Amino acid sequence: MKHLVMIIEDEEALALMLKYNLEKEGYEVAIENRGNRALAEIERRQPSVILLDWMLPEMSGVEICKLIRSKPDIKAIPVIMLTAKGEEEDKVKGLGAGADDYVTKPFSVPELMARVKSQLRRAPEPQTVKELLFEDIRMDMVEKKVFRGDNYIHLGPTEFRLLRMLLETPGKVFSREFLLKNVWGDNIYVESRTVDVHIRRLRKSLNEFGPDYIRTVRATGYALDANPAAETEEA
Ligand code: CA
């Protein structure tokens, strides 16, 4: 599996130049240009390393870096800050926010590639998850099939992605907004009750062969839970 490098940079020409060079080195590359969306994408795609611009619309690089470090599922991802400012004070601020390295623009491409490589040496190899398990529910990630015990469960693509999200972190309560953003993506408009409709379909398919493990959390969203009954209300 290729390492994913996420570039968070609002200067398009620079982002594309970096993408070109990183792809030449054999990395997969994703570009984000706004703070809020970037964070959601980091959580969704779990890059191996992040190149983070200092000055961004909506949220500064320092703020993003602090947020990355505050979230357990992404806090270990190495962050290299890119900045036009060369002042020591900013460097200290960047490192104080939790950046692993710091590169001042204009930088040489070979130098940046070396920095990326050095961060990746510390990062764990990307793992191909072959299956996700929760109680008697099993998702085969290679065949893209879901089983409950020995029973094959046919799911639509949206229900499959929903279940995958729940299975990746059992017990975690996912808000409808988070599910919309991460299962449906940012680019289409869907109402939050659409989530309820698909959860209902998912439940119907899963519960044919066992108890209901999807917990409805009042006014919030959903979680996977082996004992959901106490807090479950009809979705
Ligand atoms: Ca910028």
Side-chain angles (χ1 to χ4, degrees):
M1 245 187 102
K2 285 183 180 181
H3 278 293
L4 173 66
V5 179
M6 187 170 287
I7 303 169
I8 307 171
E9 167 63 77
D10 61 324
E11 271 171 65
E12 199 189 358
L14 177 59
L16 291 173
M17 185 276 281
L18 289 174
K19 180 173 194 274
Y20 170 81
N21 283 284
L22 287 161
E23 283 176 348
K24 225 169 53 178
E25 296 284 322
Y27 302 120
E28 196 186 335
V29 178
I31 297 177
E32 291 297 329
N33 55 23
R34 293 184 358 242
N36 294 339
R37 205 192 117 99
L39 262 182
E41 285 299 292
I42 294 167
E43 296 205 274
R44 189 172 74 86
R45 302 198 59 185
Q46 303 275 328
S48 300
V49 64
I50 297 166
L51 302 181
L52 177 59
D53 183 27
W54 183 276
M55 299 287 281
L56 287 163
E58 289 176 7
M59 228 190 262
S60 76
V62 170
E63 282 174 88
I64 293 176
C65 195
K66 282 185 183 156
L67 284 166
I68 292 171
R69 293 300 177 242
S70 73
K71 292 172 187 278
D73 54 334
I74 55 174
K75 68 192 290 183
I77 301 173
V79 174
I80 302 175
M81 292 280 277
L82 309 177
T83 177
K85 306 174 180 183
E87 290 149 19
E88 281 305 303
E89 193 189 329
D90 293 325
K91 179 169 178 172
V92 170
K93 243 191 245 170
L95 295 174
D100 298 276
D101 201 356
Y102 187 98
V103 178
T104 307
K105 297 177 193 173
F107 46 79
S108 80
V109 169
E111 186 198 338
L112 183 63
M113 294 300 139
R115 303 278 187 103
V116 168
K117 232 172 253 169
S118 131
Q119 290 302 326
L120 285 175
R121 267 199 293 275
R122 304 180 14 214
E125 279 296 307
Q127 296 285 320
T128 317
V129 178
K130 292 204 176 68
E131 60 178 24
L132 295 169
L133 290 168
F134 182 76
E135 299 288 326
D136 60 341
I137 302 170
R138 182 167 66 87
M139 179 175 275
D140 183 326
M141 301 303 293
V142 181
E143 301 279 330
K144 306 270 183 233
K145 282 180 178 167
V146 175
F147 298 89
R148 194 144 195 200
D150 293 331
N151 304 295
Y152 167 68
I153 296 176
H154 177 78
L155 295 178
T158 303
E159 286 73 39
F160 186 92
R161 289 199 298 275
L162 260 178
L163 178 61
R164 177 183 176 167
M165 188 66 65
L166 296 172
L167 280 171
E168 279 173 345
T169 324
K172 174 175 169 172
V173 178
F174 292 93
S175 70
R176 288 179 177 80
E177 291 69 32
F178 183 91
L179 291 171
L180 276 179
K181 199 178 269 179
N182 289 280
V183 173
W184 278 262
D186 261 351
N187 302 322
I188 41 168
Y189 178 76
V190 265
E191 295 174 67
S192 65
R193 65 170 290 281
T194 306
V195 176
D196 303 335
V197 171
H198 287 272
I199 286 280
R200 199 178 304 146
R201 281 188 203 158
L202 177 59
R203 274 197 172 123
K204 189 161 180 273
S205 307
L206 284 177
N207 299 353
E208 205 178 319
F209 300 107
D212 188 5
Y213 287 152
I214 298 173
R215 177 157 64 99
T216 304
V217 183
R218 201 180 294 268
T220 308
Y222 299 96
L224 209 55
D225 191 328
N227 297 295
E231 285 181 67
T232 296
E233 55 182 283
E234 227 359 83

